[in-house]
Amino acid sequence: GAVVSQHPSWVICKSGTSVKIECRSLDFQATTMFWYRQFPKQSLMLMATSNEGSKATYEQGVEKDKFLINHASLTLSTLTVTSAHPEDSSFYICSAPGQVSSYEQYFGPGTRLTVT
Amino acid sequence: AQRVTQPEKLLSVFKGAPVELKCNYSYSGSPELFWYVQYSRQRLQLLLRHISRESIKGFTADLNKGETSFHLKKPFAQEEDSAMYYCALRGYNTDKLIFGTGTRLQVFP
């Protein structure tokens, strides 16, 4: 089946620094990927839609200058948290719709970001 | 506005008991509804979708457009069903998923 990976699985950074999270579709191409944020014991909140070859589409309330998304190839999307603050600490998850059955989303394992 | 509501944060049952995880949605149109499951220390994965009308791992869910509900049911819960369950909605002509807040199912032996 389709597999989505994320790197790193966890990261700790200091306040004010930037962190890049990678999302890869391992055995299929994804022209679209989605980035979610999940707070402890809460639901997944869609942050943005990453589009290969064009700008990402951000959900209302998500700062595009803070959460930079780049979809450089058909298998890679990156989320960069710029000038991170402790309130950015969260679990970030990406997903991609399948090629054959686009209704099914394949999720990455998530990246835990802790900003100190 | 598109919204998915799961009123129960936690549902605890004993093995063999029936289970119903509630999901209600709000959408102006005909959405596609899904149930996703997240087992401990695993990634989110699709459990079932309303269009397929199939039973997966003994779970079924029927879309009730009149009540705008998509409740997940299983007649006899098993311990391995313990997990986090998310109801999700996909609108027309989009791959975006809107998730509910999730329900944690605990099945005791």
Side-chain angles (χ1 to χ4, degrees):
Chain A
V3 178
V4 174
S5 70
Q6 283 184 242
H7 177 80
S9 54
W10 60 271
V11 58
I12 301 173
C13 72
K14 291 188 176 181
S15 197
T17 61
S18 295
V19 175
K20 181 186 284 188
I21 302 170
E22 292 184 350
C23 177
R24 292 182 186 274
S25 55
L26 295 186
D27 48 2
F28 67 106
Q29 294 181 335
T31 55
T32 302
M33 290 183 175
F34 300 96
W35 286 97
Y36 297 86
R37 184 172 177 176
Q38 186 177 35
F39 292 99
K41 299 186 180 181
Q42 293 191 34
S43 185
L44 286 79
M45 182 194 78
L46 179 64
M47 297 175 65
T49 303
S50 174
N51 304 298
E52 189 271 333
S54 64
K55 291 183 179 180
T57 307
Y58 290 82
E59 295 299 303
Q60 193 173 10
V62 178
E63 298 176 60
K64 59 181 67 177
D65 293 332
K66 179 163 188 63
F67 299 100
L68 300 179
I69 290 172
N70 185 285
H71 198 139
S73 74
L74 288 170
T75 59
L76 173 64
S77 174
T78 60
L79 167 68
T80 301
V81 183
T82 64
S83 188
H85 286 98
E87 55 264 32
D88 298 325
S89 298
S90 192
F91 200 55
Y92 293 88
I93 302 173
C94 70
S95 73
Q99 274 191 305
V100 176
S101 50
S102 65
Y103 66 83
E104 181 164 0
Q105 296 262 348
Y106 295 95
F107 285 82
T111 296
R112 182 162 302 285
L113 170 63
T114 301
V115 184
T116 61
Chain B
Q2 301 174 24
R3 189 169 59 246
V4 177
T5 304
Q6 293 180 250
E8 305 138 329
K9 285 191 174 182
L10 174 65
L11 185 62
S12 299
V13 300
F14 286 101
K15 177 182 172 182
V19 167
E20 182 179 50
L21 287 79
K22 291 185 167 49
C23 171
N24 287 87
Y25 66 91
S26 173
Y27 183 76
S28 55
S30 295
E32 208 170 342
L33 274 295
F34 304 86
W35 277 99
Y36 277 81
V37 61
Q38 188 171 29
Y39 299 102
S40 180
R41 299 184 186 281
Q42 293 188 29
R43 67 188 69 194
L44 209 61
Q45 57 185 286
L46 178 66
L47 180 63
L48 52 80
R49 59 194 281 243
H50 88 268
I51 288 179
S52 59
R53 301 180 68 83
E54 56 189 345
S55 172
I56 305 293
K57 298 184 179 182
F59 284 98
T60 58
D62 292 319
L63 180 62
N64 185 321
K65 292 185 178 180
E67 296 182 357
T68 60
S69 69
F70 188 56
H71 303 326
L72 183 68
K73 300 178 184 179
K74 184 169 183 176
F76 308 104
Q78 303 299 314
E79 289 179 69
E80 55 265 30
D81 296 328
S82 296
M84 196 74 183
Y85 291 81
Y86 293 95
C87 184
L89 173 156
R90 186 175 81 160
Y92 174 75
N93 205 29
T94 177
D95 286 330
K96 284 191 339 183
L97 286 175
I98 307 299
F99 283 90
T101 49
T103 298
R104 180 169 298 282
L105 174 63
Q106 289 183 331
V107 182
F108 295 110

